[in-house]
Amino acid sequence: MTNLPPPAEELRFLDAELRQLDVRRATLLRRRAWLVHTLQATAARQPALGPGTAPVGPPAGTGAAARRPEATAPGVQNVLLVLGGVLLTIAAIAFTLVSWGHLGIAGRALVLGALTVGALGAPVALLRRGLRSTAEAVAALGTALTVLDAYALHEVAFPGTDGAGYTATASAVLAALWAVYGVRLGLRHPLPLAVATAHLPLLLGAIAVGAGPYTLTAVSLATAAGGTAVALRAALLPVRIVAVTGALGTGAAGVLSAGWLCWSASGPGPAARAAALLLVAAALALVAGRFVPRPEISVGAAFAAGLCVVAGAGGVLRVTVPGEWTVPGCLACAIALLATERTRLHHPLRQGLVRASAAVQGFAVLWTLPLVAGCVLGPAVRGAHPWSGTPRDFRDAVFAGLPRPPYAGTAPLVLAVVAAVLVVAGHRTARRPAVTVAAPVLGWAAALVLPVVLQLPYAAGLVAHAVVVAAALFFAVRLGRADKRPSPPSLTALLLALVTSVGLALVSLASEPATIAVLGTLTVLFAAAGLRPGPAPFAAPAALCHATALACAIGASAGRPPHHTALLVLVVPAVAALIASRTGGSRTGGSRTGGSRTGGSRTGGSRATVPVEVAGAAAGLLALALAAPEPPMLALVLSLCGAVAAATALRPERRAAGWAAAALFLLATWVRLAAWDVAAPEAYTLPVTGPALIVGLLRRRRDAAVSSWTAYGSGLAVTLVPSLLAAWDDQHWLRPLALGVAALAVTLAGARHRLQAPLVLGPGVLALVALHELTPYLAQVVGALPRWAPPAVVGLVLLVLGATYEQRLRDARRLREALGRLG
């Protein structure tokens, strides 16, 4: 029987065997990697060696890794060939330009002819031997020599010919020769050179015959058409690159030239000819985009085509219709491009034309921007000169002190048309949320600038803008959702209503009756909109702000001073507190009613609570600022503000407003005392101490764990500390006596109820008062003593203190513990 080892022994044996196998495998992998590297290095150095001639060991002196060459053989070959061709070309140019005059006519022709024929014929033999790179280099030299031959021919045979005409003919001939030469021999570089040179003959020929700008533009477009055709038909990538580059360059030059001619033309005829050139460019772009395989290029070509069509139409309209109708005409052409969306045109082309239409519409909207900005910002200038007189018309009221944009008569039409296009297109676009916001904004802008453009009377313009505010609020209410936050269209309508209302209020400052009527109307409109939970967070504060402005206007109209107007402004914080009390506490109210509608409405109203309270607080601050110059009226206003804050503190969620109410009441008291020329600090501090002590007493009755410092410390310190400072400089006996009696009463009360704060503050103040009263007598005693007595007394005291230091520490510890046991 086989004697099997125990499991633990067998496990150790297996682990040892596995470790040995891992070591052996790692050794073999390193050896294999070295062999592979060695074979690769040997193959790179000796490509002609057979598979059996590779060395089996590392070369001497090189180690385990062989050095690789830093440059490949084809790279070295190309460098040498290119350098040689360049040097030969430079030599030929130098010979032609410098040494030409040393030879006769026959010698010149013989030398150049021999060099050219040799350079062009040598690639044939080189290609037969398989030396393609060398053939390319020699052929490049030959093509350079053909250019020198053309130059030499002009200098010798045709010295009197026009340079542009001869260059056009020579470039055409050279392009044809290079194309045939490259196709016959199958070389790479002659064809791109031929395509690049083929862009020159037409343009140079037109310049030679003295063609005008329209002919030169047409020639540029024709050259671009030829380059486009070559780019679409060519199979070689270098040829396509050269053709596309040339077509884009000549096409862009032609389009820019045609656009400049069209928009600078002085009559319909020249503008129509330039527009025809733009239409030709558009047709070329559409044809190119139809046959280009990449969709993004097709979209770009169609986009450029659409812009060319609109630019041509706009240039013709500029000289045939009044100036203010040029932009609407371009807009009409852009909208007409949208009709291609329903045609069978290639989809990328349709997409590019639609984008071109959108771009033109955007430019048209930007054209109206100065007028819209003036209507929004212009009324701010009117605020610096209120009630200066009724303007002649509404445009003078809006653009008071601002330049008026020219050709703005059709701006409302442009804005309305673009808004209508957005509304129609919004049903078929994936960006519908953005469209639902942009369309109302454009419609609002059209309605805003219409009274200015029509130069309506001042009152009619105010009514028109008030109608715009009412319409925006109506749409905000209709589009809003009662149980959720405002939707983007509703929020947009609310913001537009707010912006319009601010501008309308500023414009109305030109006339006193208009100001009161407009502010009253705006207050009513926003208050009505604030009844709905959706727009309430925006409409209710706006109503309060307009009501505040209305109160100020009524006070100024009645001829009352500002501190009297402050009382009228205080109505707004009171109304705001009332509204906040009706809209707050939504969760409790909603849970008690149990109805989903009631709970949702209260939730919407609760979102308006904080904005309403902020608007009320702002109105209160304005009232305080108006009443500040008159202290008696300021005290009254502070008291009324404190009453409003106290009423707000009655709500469970606004208990913290009680602190503001107390502060306002205290400030009102102080201001009244200051108005009465009261200088005694107790008159200012006792109104604080009394309520503070009462509040502390009530709090300790509810919670016995409250410290006496928390309950009574601040209230006592408010009166005791200022009175002590005042008594220290007081030369009479009444204040120190009253302060000492008060401190004694505080001390006795603290001892009676075992409270720490009165037992510390009362004795401390009493001791300082006593010290103040005994100071003159102490000074007399010190003056009567000899000079050695004070140091002796001090030394004796120090000795006694040092002798009983430990006992004093024990007594101090006991006193601290006793105070700690007090309340």
Side-chain angles (χ1 to χ4, degrees):
M1 295 180 64
T2 304
N3 185 13
L4 295 176
E9 185 66 21
E10 186 178 3
L11 181 61
R12 285 194 296 270
F13 176 77
L14 292 177
D15 290 339
E17 290 291 330
L18 290 174
R19 284 194 295 271
Q20 292 179 3
L21 290 175
D22 290 338
V23 173
R24 181 60 178 167
R25 185 173 184 276
T27 304
L28 294 176
L29 288 175
R30 287 195 297 271
R31 179 63 180 178
R32 181 183 181 280
W34 179 83
L35 291 174
V36 170
H37 180 74
T38 302
L39 290 174
Q40 291 176 351
T42 304
R45 289 196 308 271
Q46 299 176 358
L49 292 179
T53 59
V56 296
T62 60
R67 294 182 181 178
R68 292 187 178 183
E70 296 182 357
T72 61
V76 175
Q77 167 191 303
N78 293 333
V79 170
L80 295 177
L81 292 176
V82 170
L83 181 59
V86 170
L87 292 177
L88 288 176
T89 304
I90 293 174
I93 294 173
F95 171 76
T96 305
L97 298 179
V98 178
S99 302
W100 185 255
H102 299 290
L103 299 176
I105 297 177
R108 301 170 189 173
L110 181 62
V111 171
L112 276 181
L115 290 176
T116 304
V117 171
L120 294 177
V124 178
L126 294 174
L127 289 174
R128 291 177 181 175
R129 294 179 177 271
L131 303 177
R132 175 169 292 276
S133 299
T134 306
E136 290 282 353
V138 177
L141 175 62
T143 54
L145 290 175
T146 55
V147 177
L148 296 177
D149 288 336
Y151 169 75
L153 185 62
H154 176 269
E155 293 295 327
V156 174
F158 307 102
T161 58
D162 179 57
Y166 180 81
T167 305
T169 305
S171 59
V173 173
L174 289 177
L177 290 177
W178 290 345
V180 174
Y181 182 70
V183 171
R184 294 294 300 273
L185 296 185
L187 298 175
R188 289 190 296 269
H189 80 277
L191 287 179
L193 288 177
V195 172
T197 308
H199 288 81
L200 300 177
L202 287 178
L203 185 59
L204 294 176
I207 294 174
V209 299
Y214 291 92
T215 305
L216 291 177
T217 303
V219 168
S220 298
L221 294 177
T223 305
T228 303
V230 173
L232 294 175
R233 300 286 296 177
L236 297 177
L237 180 61
V239 175
R240 289 203 303 271
I241 293 175
V242 173
V244 168
T245 303
L248 289 177
T250 55
V255 168
L256 293 177
S257 176
W260 180 79
L261 292 173
C262 187
W263 282 85
S264 62
S266 58
R273 290 197 299 270
L277 294 175
L278 288 174
L279 292 178
V280 171
L284 291 176
L286 289 176
V287 171
R290 176 61 183 86
F291 295 100
V292 170
R294 300 182 63 177
E296 58 272 16
I297 299 180
S298 299
V299 172
F303 179 80
L307 293 182
C308 289
V309 171
V310 176
V316 175
L317 290 173
R318 189 187 65 84
V319 294
T320 55
V321 299
E324 60 186 8
W325 288 97
T326 302
V327 174
C330 295
L331 180 61
C333 296
I335 295 174
L337 291 178
L338 296 176
T340 58
E341 185 67 21
R342 296 183 177 273
T343 62
R344 295 184 178 181
L345 199 63
H346 194 44
H347 177 69
L349 297 182
R350 285 184 284 143
Q351 189 177 2
L353 291 175
V354 170
R355 292 185 180 181
S357 176
V360 174
Q361 294 180 53
F363 287 135
V365 172
L366 290 178
W367 174 74
T368 65
L369 190 60
L371 180 61
V372 178
C375 292
V376 174
L377 303 177
V381 181
R382 178 66 63 181
H385 306 283
W387 297 352
S388 57
T390 304
R392 292 182 301 175
D393 53 41
F394 195 67
R395 187 179 68 175
D396 291 338
V398 172
F399 285 91
L402 293 179
R404 300 168 185 175
Y407 303 115
T410 56
L413 177 62
V414 170
L415 292 169
V417 170
V418 176
V421 171
L422 288 177
V423 171
V424 174
H427 300 286
R428 299 192 303 269
T429 181
R431 300 177 181 179
R432 187 172 182 180
V435 171
T436 57
V437 172
V441 172
L442 293 177
W444 164 81
L448 185 70
V449 302
L450 184 60
V452 177
V453 171
L454 297 180
Q455 298 185 18
L456 294 179
Y458 178 66
L462 293 178
V463 172
H465 275 200
V467 171
V468 173
V469 176
L473 290 176
F474 174 76
F475 282 109
V477 172
R478 289 292 302 272
L479 298 175
R481 296 169 290 186
D483 56 339
K484 298 180 181 179
R485 296 184 181 275
S487 60
S490 176
L491 184 59
T492 302
L494 281 171
L495 295 178
L496 295 179
L498 291 173
V499 172
T500 310
S501 66
V502 173
L504 178 58
L506 292 174
V507 171
S508 67
L509 291 177
S511 173
E512 179 180 345
T515 302
I516 297 176
V518 167
L519 291 176
T521 303
L522 293 177
T523 302
V524 173
L525 289 176
F526 280 97
L531 297 177
R532 296 295 298 271
F538 299 90
L544 294 175
C545 292
H546 289 303
T548 304
L550 177 61
C552 295
I554 292 175
S557 177
R560 308 306 301 173
H563 58 273
H564 288 173
T565 305
L567 296 177
L568 188 59
V569 174
L570 282 179
V571 177
V572 177
V575 174
L578 180 61
I579 295 174
S581 65
R582 298 293 299 273
T583 59
S586 61
R587 295 183 180 179
T588 306
S591 61
R592 286 199 300 264
T593 57
S596 60
R597 180 176 299 180
T598 303
S601 176
R602 293 190 176 218
T603 302
S606 66
R607 290 199 298 270
T609 302
V610 175
V612 166
E613 291 174 344
V614 171
L621 292 176
L622 177 61
L624 293 176
L626 293 175
E630 293 292 331
M633 186 60 69
L634 178 60
L636 178 59
V637 172
L638 286 170
S639 300
L640 294 177
C641 290
V644 174
T648 303
L650 296 177
R651 293 158 46 196
E653 71 277 8
R654 289 292 183 267
R655 296 300 188 196
W659 297 100
L664 289 171
F665 284 131
L666 180 62
L667 288 175
T669 304
W670 287 355
V671 171
R672 173 54 67 181
L673 292 174
W676 287 339
D677 295 330
V678 175
E682 291 79 9
Y684 296 89
T685 57
L686 287 177
V688 181
T689 298
L693 293 179
I694 294 174
V695 171
L697 178 62
L698 295 177
R699 186 173 181 183
R700 278 185 61 85
R701 285 185 177 181
R702 289 199 308 266
D703 186 5
V706 176
S707 171
S708 62
W709 287 103
T710 304
Y712 308 117
S714 59
L716 294 174
V718 165
T719 295
L720 293 178
V721 174
S723 298
L724 179 63
L725 296 177
W728 200 262
D729 293 332
D730 197 347
Q731 303 299 325
H732 303 282
W733 58 270
L734 182 59
R735 185 190 301 275
L737 178 61
L739 181 59
V741 171
L744 179 60
V746 169
T747 303
L748 295 178
R752 171 68 178 80
H753 298 284
R754 303 184 64 189
L755 299 176
Q756 187 179 32
L759 282 176
V760 173
L761 293 175
V765 173
L766 185 58
L768 291 175
V769 170
L771 180 61
H772 173 266
E773 294 300 318
L774 293 177
T775 300
Y777 303 101
L778 294 177
Q780 294 178 2
V781 172
V782 171
L785 291 176
R787 295 191 176 184
W788 54 265
V793 172
V794 172
L796 182 62
V797 170
L798 291 177
L799 289 177
V800 173
L801 289 177
T804 59
Y805 183 74
E806 185 177 0
Q807 182 65 33
R808 296 296 180 269
L809 288 177
R810 188 180 300 113
D811 294 341
R813 190 179 301 111
R814 291 177 180 177
L815 178 60
R816 185 180 60 185
E817 293 174 356
L819 289 175
R821 289 192 296 270
L822 298 177

